[in-house]
Amino acid sequence: MTYDTNNIFAKILRGEIPSVKVYEDDDTLAFMDVMPQAPGHLLVVPKAGSRNMLDADPAVLAKTIAVVQKLAVAAKEAFDADGVYIAQFNEAAAGQTVFHLHFHIVPRKDGEPLKPHSGALADTDLLKSQAEKIKAAL
């Protein structure tokens, strides 16, 4: 399988599709998930193209996971969460739907179920306010 440069995350990285950015450096971009499973659900993507972890450059993975850790700590603090769910899927059989390597960071509170990751898009103003909370915790 080859990397498709027209996937939605590649388009976000090129600025062709808007996103609510949380963090950006030379190698990674983090933005709010438009179909959040819980308040503060964000995504971290490397700027280098790869379908998933199976074909990613190990140096890219190292830089990306360091950002995932930093943002998981910030999201946990920002949302006063009891824990943080971090998910990463590889190929359709494993649940991957966007074929650009990405990590989900989802702050979790005890006893609160995850919402389904499909359906209606979240309100952009709500996502912006949640992004600001995470930025403040960085």
Side-chain angles (χ1 to χ4, degrees):
M1 300 256 180
T2 58
Y3 176 75
D4 176 10
T5 59
N6 285 314
N7 72 73
I8 191 167
F9 295 164
K11 290 178 179 183
I12 288 171
L13 285 165
R14 290 192 301 264
E16 296 169 8
I17 294 176
S19 66
V20 177
K21 293 181 183 179
V22 177
Y23 174 89
E24 185 170 13
D25 63 25
D26 290 342
D27 303 298
T28 58
L29 175 67
F31 51 93
M32 300 305 293
D33 194 304
V34 296
M35 290 183 280
Q37 293 184 274
H41 182 168
L42 68 143
L43 299 167
V44 178
V45 302
K47 290 182 176 179
S50 62
R51 280 178 66 85
N52 50 46
M53 192 178 288
L54 303 177
D55 68 338
D57 180 320
V60 170
L61 277 175
K63 290 175 182 175
T64 305
I65 201 68
V67 173
V68 170
Q69 181 186 37
K70 179 184 349 190
L71 288 168
V73 169
K76 184 178 184 295
E77 178 185 324
F79 289 89
D80 193 29
D82 298 311
V84 180
Y85 171 59
I86 298 172
Q88 191 281 314
F89 306 99
N90 299 283
E91 298 301 336
Q96 186 177 11
T97 57
V98 177
F99 295 94
H100 182 104
L101 175 63
H102 61 285
F103 292 83
H104 294 260
I105 299 174
V106 186
R108 298 297 313 273
K109 293 196 178 198
D110 285 331
E112 288 186 8
L114 284 176
K115 296 176 185 162
H117 194 252
S118 60
L121 300 180
D123 177 73
T124 302
D125 289 335
L126 174 65
L127 294 178
K128 286 178 180 176
S129 71
Q130 291 179 355
E132 290 306 316
K133 287 177 76 167
I134 298 167
K135 289 178 193 178
L138 279 172

